[in-house]
Structure formats: C-alpha cells, structure tokens
Amino acid sequence: SLGLAESAKALGLPVVYSSHDFYAVCPSLNLLDEALKTCGGRCTPGEGTCQIALWPPASLPVLKHQYIHRWQDMLGEFLTHCDRVITTADSAAHILGDIHAPLHNQVTVIPHGRDFSEFRSSSRRPAPGGRIRILVPGNISLSKGAALIREMAELDTGGRLEFHFLGQVWDGLK
C-alpha cells in the first residue's frame, strides 16, 4: 500500500525501501518503450504501448505520456516517507534520483552478488552428442531475452538444447 511508509513513520519506525527494479519509476518495471528502447523513466517521443513485464497490457492505464506522470507523483510521495532507498547499481540510483529528485541523499547502492568461501559445480557435461539442459529463471519477456532464447532454439537444428523455465514465459516462446 502506498500509505504504508507514512503509517510506519507515524509510529516512529524507520522505513527502508528496497528497489530491485524500476517500479518506483514506472510500473513497466524495465523502462522499455514499444520499440524495446530504454526510456530511463522519461517517455520517448511518439505514441505506442510500453513493454509491461508482469501484468497483462490492458490491466494498466496508458502509461506513455499519460498515466506515468500520476504514477511518478504517487510513488514520489511514498518515497518521501522512506528513510533510505536501497538499489543494486549506481545507474539505477541515478535513474531513481533523476525521477525523484529528493532521493539523492537517501539512496544507498548495495550491489548484487555473493561471496562464497567454496564453490562447487553440480552440473555434468552432456554426453557427446547429448542434450544440453538450460535453466532459465525469472519472468522471461522480450525485455529479458525471450527473442534471444527463441533464436537459439531456431538455430538448434539438431535438437540438442533443452530449455527449462522457472517463471512466466513470453507467448512467443510457447
């Protein structure tokens, strides 16, 4: 709820917002327009329907040049009640700060990654001529490489690639 941060602050609780995508900038999450060009949170010229990764396109109002302004106002108000915003990259912090200017002093970057004292591989090489199993985690849309996966499958005339998906898959891959 957009009122949650304000309610927590009223109770004297610290509020940290973790941003691992661009939801606070645009509900499209990936900041891609109809041509899969990045907009950085500022609509690109022209008309079109922005790429929406998680929801059916008809479930949101028209974003480009329209509802996006209301969205950014609502999320900007929410963020004013946060003590700290965490994101994973300097570039993401820059985009958040560009759209929500008051955030500049509240954003902390904690990069993705893990430190392992030991790393073991549980994979096995395929037998000569055998199938290569590929695990694809996440919601795979055009913006997350679905066209590349489709092209790989089309180039695999020998049928050696075996894809396994964890999450939603773009209809063009089914």
Side-chain angles (χ1 to χ4, degrees):
S1 162
L2 291 177
L4 187 59
E6 184 176 11
S7 296
K9 291 305 294 179
L11 295 171
L13 299 172
V15 178
V16 176
Y17 176 76
S18 177
S19 176
H20 67 277
D21 54 32
F22 292 105
Y23 186 76
V25 173
C26 179
S28 71
L29 304 178
N30 297 316
L31 306 182
L32 296 173
D33 70 7
E34 71 282 356
L36 296 176
K37 301 284 187 219
T38 185
C39 69
R42 307 257 184 226
C43 296
T44 55
E47 300 302 315
T49 302
C50 298
Q51 296 296 314
I52 299 171
L54 293 180
W55 300 281
S59 66
L60 291 171
V62 175
L63 292 171
K64 192 170 186 178
H65 303 296
Q66 295 183 38
Y67 188 69
I68 187 61
H69 305 294
R70 176 74 179 119
W71 181 267
Q72 290 175 351
D73 288 346
M74 290 186 311
L75 271 290
E77 171 63 22
F78 168 83
L79 292 169
T80 65
H81 301 286
C82 296
D83 296 296
R84 182 67 55 202
V85 175
I86 308 288
T87 191
T88 58
D90 290 332
S91 58
H94 176 76
I95 290 171
L96 283 165
D98 181 47
I99 299 301
H100 302 293
L103 285 182
H104 280 294
N105 296 327
Q106 292 171 259
V107 179
T108 299
V109 174
I110 300 175
H112 280 304
R114 294 183 172 89
D115 290 330
F116 294 101
S117 59
E118 180 180 325
F119 186 79
R120 288 182 272 165
S121 175
S122 60
S123 64
R124 294 184 315 224
R125 287 185 185 264
R131 299 197 77 186
I132 300 168
R133 295 183 182 108
I134 302 168
L135 176 64
V136 184
N139 294 311
I140 306 306
S141 60
L142 283 172
S143 64
K144 295 222 175 165
L148 176 64
I149 294 168
R150 182 179 60 193
E151 187 176 341
M152 288 172 63
E154 289 169 356
L155 292 171
D156 178 28
T157 57
R160 293 201 54 211
L161 301 180
E162 180 180 314
F163 291 96
H164 298 268
F165 297 92
L166 294 176
Q168 299 292 322
V169 178
W170 175 58
D171 287 338
L173 284 178
K174 294 178 182 176

